[in-house]
Amino acid sequence: MAVHGTRVRRLLAGSFLQVSRRGCVSGAPAVSATQGLSSKDRKTFIKEHSLPFSAFLTDSFGRQHNYLRISLTEKCNLRCQYCMPEDGVKLTPKSELLTAQEIITLARLFVQEGVDKIRLTGGEPLIRPDVVDIVAQLRRLEGLKTIALTTNGINLARQLPKLKDAGLDILNISLDTLVPAKFEFIVRRKGFHKVMEGISKAIEMGYNPVKVNCVVMRGLNEDELLDFVSLTEKKPLEVRFIEYMPFDGNKWNFKKMVSYQEMLDTIRQKWPELEKIPTEISSTSKSYRVPHFQGKIGFITSMSEHFCGSCNRLRITADGNLKVCLFGNSEVSLRDCLRSGAIEEELVQIVGAAVGRKKKQHAGMFNISQMKNRPMILIAGGRRTTRLLPSILQELRSFKRRICLEGVGIVQRKLLSGALITFRSSFSAHGLLPVCSSMQKLSSALVLQLRCYSSDQNNHKPFQNPKCLNTLSSTTEINEKSFIDRSPTSDSSEHQVYNPSLQGASEHLTHVDTAGKVIMVDVGRKPDTPRNAVAIAVVRLGPKVFSLVQSNQLKKGDVLTVAQIAGIQGAKFTSQLIPLCHNISLTQVNVVLRLDSIRFAVVIEAQCSTHGKTGVEMEALTAASVAALTVYDMCKAVSHDIVIENVKLLKKTGGQRGDFQRESASLPNSVSE
């Protein structure tokens, strides 16, 4: 995925390239403009032209987060008992809340990385004056399929026509009782009839279904379950019963919670024919329908039967904090990063680091009730966040500049190493590593600068011309006839000529400059030519595991097929895994796995091809390596005595340095035969 280094302020000003950055390493085309299409046609178009999903929004358990919830405000015109503490909450100053421009900037960034659904929440989003304008701006984001909104319905009837015109696709309306007096008790305000008017208006304007969210609490409204189900008989409603969840200040008690199974049993006593409806894997709701009813019902079982394994949701609070889990108390301030001038790449990597740390599941209802987390109303804003991030980014940039400009001596080595450790510790303490390109570039610059110097503690002077730092970019115009290597070990009377056009390989590193700074080789002037590469790897399994793989008896499934797919994926993601690799368009990736019964091994051969400016050796090696690691992962439950070996380039063709063919004598038997 190519990530541009444009300053976020350019995004804020609206100056950005009108193409998706979420390009595949295989060169898949970006999504075309969909202006003028209806909502239905727009979704169909985007689905048919979908791009490979961003690695930054994929967590360590393989969950792809394509759904973003953005809180527009902390304020609300109701005081629901399960949402807001009885004594209220301290609101964040307006200056610390996200502006409309910042909301759109972050939304655009997430959509470019793969988010295709955004839900606007609060507080109560409809009390924000610019909510219609925000919806309209979101509608213009290429790649965004769905815009949803959750509201208490008080202001809905008045604002819905403008919201629909702006592009609002889905409505969720909160309603916990059908008894007006009980409504006032639960929300501590009047307004029942306004909510019902909003629901009717939504149906009238063609929203189908209109989702109604009902938090069920024992002793309060569990006796109305059947009445809510009856609402779906003649109206296109989807009533969703939500298990009572613990948040700060709502005095959650297990005895107040009515479980999904208990609610289901109650409803089936009246409608035994109730049937389950298939839903998407990532859906939070278990859906049911009474036959011949126009609408349906659902159950959100966050407590009794969590759906963490398929969670695809991220949240941005009103004050700009990213929450990767509703019940988690760790947050990262994207607002502070925006306002400190972080580049897009840093923002994306901060998000990726947070998503990568997402846990497999929440802590369970009893542990959650003991954890410090925001009140539900403040999933719009709060204080438990990493505020020091911008200052650390600023220090890192300054530190990196000093290293690159001033150089490093042996006496300073321990001091600089200590400083680096201190910076890393600061990030680690707040769960922010890996966080940004600044840290990666800083580490690389430091290591390469230190390499320039003698390991002799008494010698503080660098080598005059260390061979490891002699570089000559493949795209540099060579005016001199030769490049003279004067390394300390060479005979000054014999000059070795370096000329890429004459020699098949380079003895100099091409990814560092003469000052030791990391660089990415510019291949812009190279001609497009056919490039091919083949890499191999061998995984020694041992007799027991080999037998299980051969007979396809492993519990995790078909090892060879899964590893083959993983290898292909690995090749396509090489530029994201290897920092200085170019993002190239692959024309073919072929991964073959063969069983070697003599050595009880799996032999992997990966072939990659392209027609471009740079080779595909790294793609082939990555494919072979990832396939080998996948074999290990699939088999490690049976035995850890598995060895991955002989990961090497077999051959490559194309490029100015000529072809390469490894001697057959050095190859594994089953490959050379």
Side-chain angles (χ1 to χ4, degrees):
M1 178 183 56
V3 181
H4 304 301
T6 308
R7 287 269 173 191
V8 171
R9 60 174 174 266
R10 290 185 60 195
L11 277 174
L12 289 168
S15 175
F16 61 98
L17 296 176
Q18 296 295 323
V19 295
S20 172
R21 295 190 301 106
R22 190 168 56 94
C24 174
V25 292
S26 62
V31 178
S32 303
T34 57
Q35 298 293 335
L37 296 180
S38 67
S39 178
K40 182 178 179 181
D41 291 340
R42 177 190 180 92
K43 292 178 183 178
T44 302
F45 180 90
I46 294 174
K47 183 176 181 180
E48 292 175 352
H49 296 77
S50 60
L51 298 173
F53 200 82
S54 168
F56 288 98
L57 297 185
T58 303
D59 66 18
S60 59
F61 302 98
R63 294 173 295 199
Q64 297 180 339
H65 297 77
N66 65 333
Y67 181 4
L68 178 65
R69 300 172 68 98
I70 302 177
S71 176
L72 298 185
T73 180
E74 297 176 355
K75 295 180 180 179
C76 187
N77 44 9
L78 300 180
R79 296 292 183 270
C80 300
Q81 294 185 25
Y82 55 83
C83 181
M84 182 179 289
E86 189 173 356
D87 54 355
V89 294
K90 183 179 179 181
L91 296 176
T92 303
K94 184 177 180 180
S95 62
E96 295 183 18
L97 299 177
L98 290 177
T99 65
Q101 212 168 15
E102 289 171 332
I103 289 171
I104 299 303
T105 296
L106 290 175
R108 181 181 296 121
L109 190 70
F110 276 86
V111 170
Q112 286 173 169
E113 296 303 321
V115 164
D116 58 19
K117 179 178 180 180
I118 291 179
R119 176 176 295 278
L120 302 177
T121 67
E124 169 50 41
L126 294 188
I127 67 175
R128 179 157 175 155
D130 54 0
V131 61
V132 174
D133 183 56
I134 289 173
V135 171
Q137 290 189 63
L138 289 175
R139 183 76 288 167
R140 291 194 286 269
L141 297 181
E142 291 296 335
L144 183 60
K145 297 179 184 178
T146 305
I147 302 174
L149 182 138
T150 298
T151 174
N152 60 29
I154 297 293
N155 297 333
L156 183 61
R158 175 171 55 86
Q159 292 186 261
L160 189 55
K162 291 183 179 179
L163 287 168
K164 186 174 177 63
D165 290 342
L168 184 65
D169 299 305
I170 295 176
L171 265 176
N172 288 54
I173 304 169
S174 298
L175 180 64
D176 303 313
T177 179
L178 299 174
V179 180
K182 193 186 292 186
F183 177 90
E184 291 183 27
F185 174 75
I186 293 175
V187 306
R188 306 184 183 117
R189 295 289 188 276
K190 296 181 181 294
F192 174 78
H193 298 292
K194 288 185 177 180
V195 178
M196 297 304 293
E197 181 185 357
I199 293 174
S200 297
K201 186 70 172 179
I203 294 173
E204 175 190 327
M205 296 193 68
Y207 285 94
N208 186 1
V210 175
K211 296 182 179 181
V212 176
N213 293 344
C214 175
V215 177
V216 181
M217 294 165 282
R218 194 179 306 280
L220 196 60
N221 63 349
E222 87 276 18
D223 58 332
E224 297 185 61
L225 285 171
L226 302 182
D227 296 332
F228 272 104
V229 176
S230 296
L231 282 180
T232 68
E233 182 176 6
K234 297 181 180 179
K235 295 180 179 179
L237 298 177
E238 181 180 346
V239 178
R240 310 201 311 170
F241 299 113
I242 303 172
E243 292 180 340
Y244 183 39
M245 296 177 284
F247 293 96
D248 269 11
N250 71 355
K251 299 179 181 179
W252 184 86
N253 188 309
F254 171 70
K255 294 179 181 179
K256 292 182 181 180
M257 192 196 82
V258 183
S259 72
Y260 148 63
Q261 195 59 53
E262 183 180 347
M263 289 187 276
L264 189 61
D265 291 343
T266 300
I267 294 170
R268 274 185 165 152
Q269 288 179 14
K270 180 169 183 179
W271 290 286
E273 69 275 23
L274 187 71
E275 58 186 19
K276 192 168 186 178
I277 305 171
T279 57
E280 295 180 358
I281 294 176
S282 60
S283 176
T284 59
S285 178
K286 295 176 172 63
S287 296
Y288 291 81
R289 185 195 303 275
V290 178
H292 311 302
F293 275 28
Q294 188 175 351
K296 57 185 178 180
I297 62 173
F299 300 89
I300 298 179
T301 62
S302 304
M303 297 293 99
S304 64
E305 295 184 18
H306 70 75
F307 34 81
C308 302
S310 60
C311 180
N312 66 338
R313 292 156 182 76
L314 299 172
R315 290 172 169 80
I316 296 178
T317 62
D319 58 349
N321 288 354
L322 175 66
K323 284 178 72 76
V324 297
C325 175
L326 175 63
F327 301 105
N329 54 16
S330 61
E331 303 173 1
V332 176
S333 178
L334 300 182
R335 178 206 65 200
D336 288 355
C337 293
L338 274 174
R339 295 181 183 180
S340 67
I343 61 174
E344 285 183 62
E345 180 184 359
E346 289 170 343
L347 274 174
V348 170
Q349 293 204 29
I350 288 167
V351 171
V355 172
R357 293 190 307 273
K358 185 170 181 176
K359 296 179 180 179
K360 184 176 182 180
Q361 61 190 58
H362 65 59
M365 69 178 100
F366 296 107
N367 290 326
I368 291 172
S369 64
Q370 304 301 316
M371 291 169 57
K372 191 68 176 173
N373 193 10
R374 299 173 183 241
M376 188 61 177
I377 186 75
L378 287 186
I379 301 295
R383 313 300 182 275
R384 286 173 298 282
T385 179
T386 306
R387 302 286 183 181
L388 54 81
L389 182 59
S391 62
I392 291 182
L393 289 175
Q394 185 176 359
E395 288 297 323
L396 282 174
R397 292 170 186 146
S398 174
F399 189 40
K400 180 182 68 176
R401 285 195 296 271
R402 292 201 303 272
I403 291 174
C404 294
L405 294 176
E406 298 172 12
V408 182
I410 284 295
V411 175
Q412 299 168 294
R413 183 181 304 188
K414 291 184 179 179
L415 293 174
L416 288 171
S417 297
L420 182 59
I421 291 170
T422 299
F423 279 126
R424 293 181 66 87
S425 298
S426 297
F427 277 88
S428 298
H430 295 83
L432 289 173
L433 280 179
V435 64
C436 63
S437 60
S438 295
M439 174 63 78
Q440 295 168 350
K441 293 174 182 176
L442 169 65
S443 302
S444 300
L446 177 59
V447 170
L448 288 168
Q449 288 285 345
L450 292 179
R451 282 179 181 170
C452 297
Y453 292 82
S454 168
S455 59
D456 183 356
Q457 294 289 337
N458 298 318
N459 180 10
H460 298 167
K461 295 182 179 180
F463 291 128
Q464 294 301 312
N465 191 10
K467 183 176 180 179
C468 69
L469 295 177
N470 287 341
T471 59
L472 189 62
S473 172
S474 58
T475 59
T476 302
E477 293 184 7
I478 305 174
N479 296 322
E480 295 81 10
K481 293 184 178 180
S482 64
F483 177 82
I484 308 300
D485 180 6
R486 296 188 180 94
S487 65
T489 58
S490 64
D491 187 340
S492 61
S493 64
E494 295 181 7
H495 295 165
Q496 298 177 353
V497 177
Y498 171 70
N499 189 327
S501 64
L502 300 178
Q503 294 183 223
S506 171
E507 295 182 358
H508 304 79
L509 297 179
T510 57
H511 288 83
V512 289
D513 62 17
T514 53
K517 286 183 60 178
V518 174
I519 59 171
M520 190 171 186
V521 176
D522 183 2
V523 298
R525 300 180 186 178
K526 287 187 175 183
D528 289 337
T529 58
R531 313 284 189 120
N532 295 281
V534 178
I536 58 171
V538 177
V539 186
R540 291 183 179 267
L541 302 175
K544 181 180 178 181
V545 179
F546 182 84
S547 176
L548 292 172
V549 172
Q550 190 175 41
S551 57
N552 198 14
Q553 295 294 312
L554 280 171
K555 292 182 179 180
K556 283 193 173 183
D558 188 340
V559 174
L560 302 184
T561 299
V562 174
Q564 181 188 36
I565 295 172
I568 294 171
Q569 281 290 92
K572 295 194 291 182
F573 279 91
T574 298
S575 65
Q576 297 180 35
L577 299 172
I578 312 299
L580 300 180
C581 278
H582 292 83
N583 181 9
I584 61 178
S585 175
L586 293 171
T587 57
Q588 182 186 28
V589 180
N590 186 28
V591 179
V592 178
L593 293 89
R594 301 185 183 90
L595 294 175
D596 183 346
S597 57
I598 298 176
R599 294 178 296 167
F600 303 112
V602 177
V603 179
I604 302 164
E605 182 175 316
Q607 178 182 356
C608 294
S609 303
T610 188
H611 188 88
K613 302 178 186 298
T614 187
V616 288
E617 298 98 308
M618 291 307 302
E619 282 71 18
L621 284 165
T622 302
S625 300
V626 171
L629 289 169
T630 303
V631 172
Y632 180 92
D633 179 63
M634 297 280 287
C635 300
K636 69 179 188 295
V638 179
S639 172
H640 286 91
D641 188 16
I642 300 172
V643 178
I644 298 175
E645 61 184 15
N646 283 320
V647 179
K648 62 181 72 174
L649 182 68
L650 178 59
K651 63 180 179 180
K652 75 102 177 173
T653 60
Q656 67 178 14
R657 303 193 190 282
D659 297 347
F660 168 81
Q661 174 73 55
R662 191 172 295 278
E663 295 181 5
S664 60
S666 65
L667 300 179
N669 295 336
S670 58
V671 175
S672 60
E673 289 176 355

